[in-house]
Amino acid sequence: MRRSRFFVDPNSVDLTNKTISIDDPNQIRQILTVLRLRVGDELDILDGKGSIFPCKIESSTAAKGKIRSNDRIICKFEEASAAGGECTVRVTIALPVLRGTRFEWALEKLTELGVAEIVPILLDRSVITYDAEDNLSATKFQRWQSIVREASEQSERALIPNVVSPEKFATFVKRQELVAATKFIGAERADAQPINDAVDSTSGARNICIAIGAEGGFTDEEFALSFTHGFAPISLGKRILRAETAALYAASVLISRLDK
Ligand code: SAM
């Protein structure tokens, strides 16, 4: 049977005593109530920094059927090892926050595919906008973090993708100029190189970023700005894809071609 996996804060790992403390009530509920694991049962715990700890549940303070905010599960491990499941290529996907559940769906699926970083970008034609880059409710941001953590657990990744706070497009392209060697922007333009040809000409690239536009696409000014920061237009085929489909398609092609 597949062993259950949980990511914990690296500070919860006590390397001296070889114990890990789980105190997130949602994780405790998942372990005790949903999975019905008990003292003596085994599970895998990851620190989100690349290590996996095969553990046994040593103790739990939770009373049957009731989990309190100060409850805690202590797990014991013998030794840690390097967790697998990560791509050898670092892919960053930037996409606008989309209507309804489409953005959250994209977060989950991009995580399963192995994307390293997801950047919600604020575009001139974004349907969902924020007054300022920091005007995102903490609850919503926490929800995004939970979605990628759970998708990483489910897809047996070693790391949780980094979901950054929504960034203005200008901030995003400037930052990527410094961090990503290869940068693409999804464009339904005649001069856009097909994604597979673009990948052929970037063999050896290990750090790739791709920006996907809003429902109404990128403006000419946004394209021009991206080009000055080193982005190249790429085509994702003859059909016009919705933003979340374009993000998934681009990530799939990049990872399937470049992850060795
Ligand atoms: N009519 C819009 C436009 O003018 O761009 C369509 C936008 S599309 C729904 C959302 C985004 O997905 C686009 O801005 C682009 O980044 C990406 N996209 C969709 N289909 C694409 C394709 N065939 N090639 C390249 N990018 C595509």
Side-chain angles (χ1 to χ4, degrees):
M1 199 177 93
R2 184 174 170 266
R3 286 163 67 101
S4 303
R5 292 187 153 218
F6 292 91
F7 282 94
V8 296
D9 186 313
N11 294 325
S12 312
V13 181
D14 179 343
L15 291 171
T16 312
N17 294 310
K18 299 198 168 183
T19 56
I20 298 175
S21 156
I22 299 178
D23 39 27
D24 173 347
N26 289 329
Q27 287 187 324
I28 296 177
R29 191 168 298 108
Q30 179 74 12
I31 290 169
L32 299 180
T33 312
V34 179
L35 298 169
R36 297 179 168 276
L37 298 180
R38 297 288 176 261
V39 170
D41 286 343
E42 297 182 350
L43 72 171
D44 288 332
I45 297 184
L46 296 101
D47 63 1
K49 290 179 10 185
S51 293
I52 183 164
F53 301 83
C55 288
K56 244 186 196 171
I57 300 177
E58 189 177 68
S59 65
S60 160
T61 61
K64 210 175 172 193
K66 191 156 188 230
I67 290 152
R68 297 155 300 183
S69 59
N70 59 348
D71 275 328
R72 169 168 296 194
I73 291 176
I74 302 292
C75 298
K76 186 91 182 153
F77 62 90
E78 293 298 323
E79 58 185 21
S81 55
E86 284 306 305
C87 294
T88 55
V89 58
R90 182 183 160 79
V91 174
T92 296
I93 300 284
L95 77 164
V97 182
L98 303 164
R99 258 197 273 247
T101 57
R102 291 164 53 205
F103 182 75
E104 294 186 354
W105 181 85
L107 283 181
E108 182 183 273
K109 301 303 162 204
L110 289 169
T111 302
E112 289 173 29
L113 288 172
V115 163
E117 183 164 292
I118 302 164
V119 187
I121 40 176
L122 304 173
L123 300 170
D124 289 345
R125 294 182 185 149
S126 289
V127 174
I128 308 271
T129 55
Y130 298 93
D131 294 340
E133 282 174 9
D134 60 357
N135 192 14
L136 172 76
S137 82
T139 319
K140 180 164 262 189
F141 195 59
Q142 273 164 15
R143 188 174 151 73
W144 292 353
Q145 304 295 339
S146 301
I147 289 170
V148 294
R149 179 173 51 74
E150 283 165 25
S152 295
E153 288 167 353
Q154 184 275 324
S155 57
E156 303 202 353
R157 288 189 60 169
L159 304 175
I160 304 171
N162 185 28
V163 181
V164 306
S165 298
E167 271 184 336
K168 287 189 178 129
F169 191 62
T171 312
F172 160 76
V173 289
K174 273 186 213 139
R175 187 168 66 81
Q176 290 303 317
E177 187 166 23
L178 303 175
V179 297
T182 309
K183 297 170 283 292
F184 297 129
I185 181 164
E188 307 118 48
R189 298 161 46 117
D191 62 348
Q193 196 179 25
I195 186 168
N196 274 299
D197 295 355
V199 172
D200 285 342
S201 57
T202 58
S203 65
R206 302 325 294 159
N207 191 348
I208 301 184
C209 166
I210 175 156
I212 298 296
E215 283 88 338
F218 290 106
T219 61
D220 289 346
E221 292 74 22
E222 286 167 338
F223 273 124
L225 182 67
S226 77
F227 299 157
T228 64
H229 290 284
F231 282 73
I234 57 162
S235 164
L236 303 175
K238 290 184 221 151
R239 290 157 294 281
I240 305 300
L241 309 175
R242 289 180 84 157
E244 70 276 24
T245 317
L248 264 285
Y249 180 75
S252 306
V253 172
L254 291 177
I255 291 169
S256 68
R257 294 284 313 278
L258 297 171
D259 183 27
K260 302 289 177 222

